[in-house]
């Protein structure tokens, strides 16, 4: 027999969990459906943090930022392809989303920077650890506190529609049993499609053979299900490759390492670009090197400021040496070239002026404290900017820009917010901001 809910949430990443919490707090009877055996989706792998401007935590640190600047820099980073209405809403609601999390004991009070921004606005946990694990464990505590039902290893196969209105979903559980769940609102928070090689190559043939940083569940099934009920899509070919991915493990080397002062060096021992440029540009420069790969190089000071660095060391792919000379030997790199590169970079830090590549941010401190560290990296498929179209209420739109009643979408499954290139730290902001909104509006519709 069919089971009745007010709101069905598909996907247990950040967007789905935030939506479920908000819908529950607004009085809705909610269930979360997750096809994988574990909660957290790709969000759990998020590294750097959550962007927001004009937050309490920025003010506490004396950081003067503005929503307008956040808007302008995100638009520029997205090559002016971003949906301006959704982007404006994103920027406006970001500080409230930071407070929404803080009120749930998920405090992102330390602040750093990523590529494509001029001011520290990437919020992360106090201990400077990766944001994903911290965020998901905090959200899960909130899910448990509210007794929200989560069905793991259960996949939504179809969104059901009658007379143009969503009526529920068809799910398939781990025993291959099919069930119908009735609901007036269905929130699709299924993430992107970076792990669906066929779908990536369909839109971007030149990305065949690239590794992906994403978890296996990032298959784009939510996009396909929504298309089947008439949803329109936008920017499907806008697929982000992240410049710094360790290739043997597909492990993402966080931008926070560069934001903490690391540099990128070619096999020839030379810097080749502004490390703090946007992901698309840095990736293109790495692919243009003869080896199509490069080294992230940092020193002990950078390591001390980034918890992630210790994680990378524990994973076993960081090469370290007490001095730059010894590091160069281990990397099979021209010793003099590396020494000259470090000397020149350290001079730029002292002058706060990168004469070679115009790096303006995160010229933190000279790289001169051993041990020295290196990680070999190359780009990997990281984020799909495209997805289904929504209105500012997160209601899914069809090709005529009409609302499909009862269908909501939030997170990476949605297209348009990031334009042609997503800024590091904007995905976590996206999922929380629009997750909350989807939860609120889905609950309101269901209770009407
Ligand atoms: P976001 O960052 O937008 O929240 P995530 O990638 O973190 O997205 O999470 C999306 C989640 O949705 C993943 O855990 C994924 O396994 C799950 N998912 C994707 N498709 C389905 C489906 N058809 N049924 C149930 N869960 C799904």
């Amino acid at each position: 027999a069919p089971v009745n809910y007010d709101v069905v949430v598909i996907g247990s990443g950040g967007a789905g969990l935030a939506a479920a919490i908000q819908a529950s707090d607004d009085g809705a009877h909610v269930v979360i459906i997750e096809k994988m055996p574990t909660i957290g989706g790709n969000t759990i792998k998020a590294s750097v943090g959550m962007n927001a401007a004009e937050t309490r935590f920025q003010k506490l640190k004396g950081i003067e930022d503005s929503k307008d600047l956040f808007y302008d820099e995100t638009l520029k980073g997205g090559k002016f392809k971003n949906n301006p209405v959704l982007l404006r809403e994103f920027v406006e609601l970001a500080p409230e989303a930071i407070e929404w999390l803080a009120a749930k004991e998920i405090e992102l009070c330390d602040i750093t920077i990523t590529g494509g921004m001029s001011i520290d606005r990437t919020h992360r946990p106090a201990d400077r650890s990766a944001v994903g694990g911290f965020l998901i464990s905090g959200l899960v505590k909130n899910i448990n506190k509210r007794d929200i039902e989560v069905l793991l290893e259960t996949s939504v196969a179809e969104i059901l529609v009658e007379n143009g209105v969503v009526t529920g979903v068809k799910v398939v559980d781990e025993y291959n049993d099919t069930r119908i769940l009735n609901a007036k609102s269905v929130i699709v928070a299924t993430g992107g499609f970076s792990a669906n090689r066929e779908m990536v190559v369909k839109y971007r043939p030149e990305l065949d053979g690239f590794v992906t940083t994403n978890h296996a569940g990032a298959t784009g099934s939510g996009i396909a299900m929504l298309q089947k009920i008439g949803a329109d899509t936008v920017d499907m070919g806008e697929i982000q490759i992240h410049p710094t991915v360790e290739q043997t493990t597909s492990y993402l080397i966080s931008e926070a390492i560069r934001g903490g002062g690391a540099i990128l060096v070619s096999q020839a021992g030379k810097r080749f670009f502004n490390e703090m440029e946007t992901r698309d540009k840095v990736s293109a420069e790495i692919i243009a090197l003869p080896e199509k790969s490069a080294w992230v190089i940092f020193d002990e000071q950078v390591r001390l400021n980034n918890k992630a660095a210790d994680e990378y060391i524990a994973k076993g792919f960081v090469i370290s040496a007490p001095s730059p000379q010894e590091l160069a030997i281990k990397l099979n790199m021209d010793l003099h070239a590396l020494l000259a590169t470090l000397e020149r970079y350290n001079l730029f830090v002292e002058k706060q002026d990168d004469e070679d590549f115009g790096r303006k941010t995160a010229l933190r401190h000279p790289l001169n404290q051993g041990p020295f560290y290196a990680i070999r990296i190359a780009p990997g498929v990281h984020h799909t900017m495209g997805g289904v179209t929504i209105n500012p209420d997160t209601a899914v739109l069809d090709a005529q820009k009409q609302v499909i009643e009862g269908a909501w979408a939030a997170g990476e499954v949605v297209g348009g917010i990031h334009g042609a290139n997503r800024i590091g730290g904007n995905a976590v902001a996206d999922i929380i901001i629009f997750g909350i909104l989807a939860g609120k509006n889905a609950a309101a519709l269901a209770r009407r």
Side-chain angles (χ1 to χ4, degrees), residues 133-159:
F134 178 81
L135 183 65
I136 293 297
S137 75
L139 290 170
V140 167
K141 275 185 205 146
N142 278 275
I143 293 286
N144 293 340
K145 207 190 278 175
R146 289 162 178 77
D147 263 329
I148 298 172
E149 200 180 343
V150 184
L151 303 179
L152 295 177
E153 287 184 88
T154 303
S155 177
V156 174
E158 201 181 332
I159 300 169

Side-chain angles (χ1 to χ4, degrees), residues 34-291:
E34 170 56 57
K35 69 174 176 179
M36 303 299 277
T38 52
I39 290 191
N42 212 58
T43 302
I44 207 163
K45 300 181 111 189
S47 59
V48 68
M50 169 165 165
N51 295 337
E54 299 185 29
T55 66
R56 172 164 60 96
F57 299 120
Q58 279 181 319
K59 282 169 199 148
L60 279 172
K61 290 190 185 295
I63 299 166
E64 276 188 46
D65 196 2
S66 83
K67 289 176 175 175
D68 285 343
L69 186 64
F70 184 19
Y71 181 95
D72 290 345
E73 291 184 341
T74 301
L75 193 63
K76 179 164 177 252
K79 302 179 190 162
F80 301 92
K81 223 181 160 181
N82 319 53
N83 176 316
V85 178
L86 294 179
L87 180 59
R88 179 57 71 185
E89 186 177 33
F90 168 84
V91 162
E92 284 300 324
L93 296 178
E96 286 171 40
I98 290 278
E99 292 300 334
W100 185 94
L101 289 173
K104 292 170 180 59
E105 290 176 53
I106 305 168
E107 210 174 69
L108 302 177
C109 58
D110 191 70
I111 306 175
T112 186
I113 199 163
T114 76
M117 69 189 70
S118 61
I119 289 175
D120 284 12
R121 69 168 69 101
T122 309
H123 295 63
R124 61 180 175 179
D127 69 356
R128 302 177 171 182
S129 59
V131 73
F134 178 81
L135 183 65
I136 293 297
S137 75
L139 290 170
V140 167
K141 275 185 205 146
N142 278 275
I143 293 286
N144 293 340
K145 207 190 278 175
R146 289 162 178 77
D147 263 329
I148 298 172
E149 200 180 343
V150 184
L151 303 179
L152 295 177
E153 287 184 88
T154 303
S155 177
V156 174
E158 201 181 332
I159 300 169
L160 304 171
V161 175
E162 273 170 38
N163 303 323
V165 176
V166 168
T167 59
V169 294
K170 184 159 108 188
V171 301
V172 182
D173 69 14
E174 67 223 90
Y175 311 107
N176 226 11
D177 287 339
T178 300
R179 269 190 301 159
I180 305 287
L181 310 184
N182 292 326
K184 283 194 185 153
S185 278
V186 172
I187 301 175
V188 181
T190 47
F193 60 93
S194 289
N196 185 336
R197 165 83 46 105
E198 212 175 293
M199 198 163 162
V200 166
V201 171
K202 173 179 163 192
Y203 293 104
R204 294 278 297 280
E206 79 280 16
L207 295 180
D208 200 7
F210 275 61
V211 301
T212 181
T213 60
N214 279 214
H215 84 137
T219 56
S221 70
I223 298 176
M225 285 190 289
L226 282 170
Q227 278 181 310
K228 215 176 142 201
I229 65 165
D232 198 11
T233 57
V234 65
D235 296 343
M236 291 298 284
E238 300 298 353
I239 297 174
Q240 177 170 77
I241 50 176
H242 191 292
T244 55
V245 182
E246 201 285 324
Q247 298 288 300
T248 61
T249 55
S250 297
Y251 215 74
L252 178 93
I253 306 307
S254 173
E255 233 165 299
I257 296 285
R258 278 171 283 146
I263 58 174
L264 292 175
V265 172
S266 67
Q267 185 59 45
K270 294 184 175 147
R271 283 180 74 218
F272 51 91
F273 199 54
N274 170 4
E275 294 88 349
M276 299 308 292
E277 256 294 358
T278 49
R279 291 173 174 178
D280 54 333
K281 292 183 186 159
V282 178
S283 295
E285 292 294 326
I286 295 168
I287 292 167
L289 292 169
E291 304 78 20

